[in-house]
Amino acid sequence: MMSRENKFETDAIRTQMERSEFLEHSTPLHLTSSFVFEDAEDMRASFAEEKERNIYSRFTNPNTSEFVDKMCKLEGAESGYAFATGMAAVFSTFAALLNAGDHIVSARSIFGSTHTLFTKFLPKWNIETSYFKVGEVDNIESLIQSNTKILYVESPTNPAVDILDLEELGQIAKKHNLIFIIDNCFATPYLQNPIKFGADLVIHSATKLIDGQGRVLGGATVGRADLIREIYLFSRNTGPALSPFNAWILSKSLETLGVRVDRHCENALKVAEFLETHSKVALVKYPFLKSHPQYALAKKQMKQGGNVVAFEVKGGIDAGRQFLNHLKMLSLSANLGDTRSIATHPASTTHSKLSEADRLETGISDGLVRISVGLEHVDDIIADLKQALAYV
Ligand SMILES: *Cc1c(COP(=O)(O)O)cnc(C)c1O
């Protein structure tokens, strides 16, 4: 036994399920839909939750539990549950915790599908959402109603990489007895641990940097044990569970999260610095660039700036399209956090369902390009950006 708490990298590697009789070194994959009981009494006691054991893989499975245990350690959370996708985590969390007639206060800048959930589906159950702009945290208290239950944010935001003050938000949530939930997808547990700043629950799309290799979908919600218990009960009966195979992949992926994200961030900063000096680029947003409006805040709550760089090409939408059409190596794809660098045009893709007014309020101009900086050699990434910018 080590006497001190392990560092991040060590927990990411050494948090592992109990070894089987084969004494395997690496975690084995348990592809089984159900588990057997010793006898009728074991079966009764297991269903009565008098013992902690696997019953059916829609509830728990050794591989999903290992992934969840690791995510909890890395986020400093009491408990958690793993989901088939990031959106399954988002939806199940809201569905489990809210009643008809409850109210959400959310930052305006949130993932496109989460925005659709708030505007199109939750209103079916009479659950409404009020929004504040990233720069207007002062406004939050005026939006809180007697039926407000949840304060919801992302930081850094997608795609404009704005930063919200998590400590301040945590204090507001505490004062008004709101459940403070943050989607920590862009930062990963390696760069930012929102629970330290007062978050009650942290949601992840594990599809992104956690898998990091563009292979599988997954998600997790971790945080306060009493809230996770509700989320678990909802999920075990409605079926958004992560598959054991994907959990096995994601748990292996966490072993290398630290070294991968270090290089992602190093490359992203170099890309951002290159773009900032380019004559055809109107604006660059990257949390660890000194020119970022919340640079000091980013430094305070994040270890590094992440792998997403947002920028605007001079000349608006046509120039942006010219640029994207001339990229030779970077992929045009909707994913992010892959080893492969990816360019997207949020206004016509991920955020196309938003009205133009909502888009502009979220910092998504028509010419905004989002780059998920990958792990190719940074000289090659910059060379591709440079040759494509020549066509603008
Ligand atoms: C991708 C993403 C999600 C949704 O995750 P899926 O795994 O694609 O369902 C949620 N939030 C953010 C910030 C994302 O980038």
Side-chain angles (χ1 to χ4, degrees):
M1 283 287 284
M2 286 183 242
S3 55
R4 58 170 177 78
E5 274 193 30
N6 291 333
K7 298 272 196 272
F8 184 97
E9 292 81 352
T10 311
D11 277 337
I13 291 169
R14 291 288 175 176
T15 307
Q16 194 168 344
M17 70 174 78
E18 229 173 278
R19 293 205 164 91
S20 79
E21 60 184 295
F22 299 114
L23 297 181
E24 64 281 341
H25 192 195
S26 176
T27 290
L29 172 57
H30 292 280
L31 282 183
T32 178
S33 1
S34 69
F35 300 82
V36 290
F37 304 101
E38 304 278 352
D39 51 30
E41 169 52 23
D42 181 31
M43 197 166 183
R44 184 206 61 78
S46 300
F47 269 86
E49 295 189 67
E50 285 166 20
K51 46 171 88 171
E52 210 174 292
R53 67 171 329 264
N54 295 299
I55 297 174
Y56 190 63
S57 289
R58 168 154 43 81
F59 309 173
T60 61
N61 167 284
N63 289 109
T64 55
S65 297
E66 180 184 290
F67 172 62
V68 169
D69 289 350
K70 220 181 253 193
M71 287 298 291
C72 287
K73 267 204 186 151
L74 301 181
E75 280 290 13
E78 290 171 356
S79 185
Y81 193 77
F83 295 92
T85 64
M87 283 319 298
V90 172
F91 174 68
S92 305
T93 299
F94 282 93
L97 299 178
L98 293 177
N99 293 313
D102 283 343
H103 176 249
I104 300 164
V105 171
S106 170
R108 174 66 83 187
S109 308
I110 49 171
F111 186 64
S113 292
T114 307
H115 188 265
T116 304
L117 173 69
F118 290 171
T119 51
K120 191 168 160 59
F121 297 108
L122 292 186
K124 286 199 205 188
W125 296 288
N126 196 20
I127 294 167
E128 300 293 336
T129 304
S130 302
Y131 300 97
F132 64 93
K133 285 193 215 170
V134 169
E136 297 182 352
V137 171
D138 294 349
N139 245 350
I140 294 179
E141 295 195 286
S142 68
L143 301 174
I144 297 172
Q145 310 171 3
S146 57
N147 58 342
T148 306
K149 211 151 168 202
I150 286 174
L151 175 62
Y152 187 76
V153 301
E154 295 174 13
S155 182
T157 62
N158 178 15
V161 292
D162 289 312
I163 305 292
L164 284 111
D165 189 332
L166 300 183
E167 194 171 3
E168 190 179 357
L169 291 164
Q171 284 161 0
I172 295 170
K174 197 160 185 200
K175 182 174 158 200
H176 295 273
N177 202 21
L178 307 180
I179 302 169
F180 177 28
I181 306 179
I182 164 162
D183 178 337
N184 202 27
C185 171
F186 269 42
T188 81
Y190 182 62
L191 299 179
Q192 173 172 281
N193 293 130
I195 290 172
K196 278 202 303 225
F197 300 109
D200 296 296
L201 292 172
V202 179
I203 296 180
H204 279 285
S205 166
T207 312
K208 312 295 167 54
L209 286 156
I210 290 178
D211 171 43
Q213 286 142 91
R215 300 166 297 188
V216 300
L217 300 167
T221 302
V222 301
R224 258 170 57 191
D226 58 328
L227 302 174
I228 294 294
R229 172 78 186 155
E230 293 303 312
I231 294 165
Y232 166 70
L233 290 175
F234 174 84
S235 304
R236 120 177 205 162
N237 290 293
T238 55
L242 179 64
S243 80
F245 180 75
N246 286 2
W248 177 77
I249 298 253
L250 293 170
S251 186
K252 297 299 292 174
S253 303
L254 283 174
E255 294 186 23
T256 56
L257 184 70
V259 288
R260 285 188 288 106
V261 171
D262 274 341
R263 181 62 69 85
H264 273 292
C265 295
E266 192 187 307
N267 285 357
L269 183 59
K270 284 183 186 156
V271 164
E273 284 168 352
F274 159 74
L275 289 170
E276 199 165 42
T277 58
H278 200 285
S279 60
K280 290 184 177 162
V281 173
L283 168 85
V284 183
K285 292 267 290 291
Y286 182 70
F288 269 37
L289 268 188
K290 285 209 178 74
S291 57
H292 191 288
Q294 295 110 10
Y295 172 71
L297 184 56
K299 283 258 170 180
K300 179 192 145 199
Q301 63 192 32
M302 295 176 74
K303 191 173 168 190
Q304 295 171 71
N307 85 313
V308 175
V309 179
F311 72 101
E312 220 171 288
V313 179
K314 280 185 189 160
I317 194 153
D318 290 335
R321 278 175 199 234
Q322 282 295 328
F323 167 76
L324 289 170
N325 285 337
H326 284 95
L327 286 168
K328 288 191 174 132
M329 180 179 79
L330 267 73
S331 318
L332 303 186
S333 176
N335 196 14
L336 66 92
D338 196 331
T339 51
R340 294 168 174 76
S341 295
I342 293 168
T344 39
H345 180 234
S348 67
T349 59
T350 48
H351 291 69
S352 58
K353 301 281 188 300
L354 271 69
S355 69
E356 196 182 346
D358 281 353
R359 268 207 302 278
L360 291 177
E361 217 181 291
T362 349
I364 306 170
S365 63
D366 284 344
L368 190 82
V369 175
R370 184 190 79 186
I371 308 262
S372 164
V373 179
L375 299 181
E376 305 97 337
H377 196 287
V378 69
D379 292 352
D380 294 325
I381 301 171
I382 289 175
D384 195 26
L385 296 172
K386 198 170 181 174
Q387 66 79 25
L389 279 168
Y391 289 91
V392 171

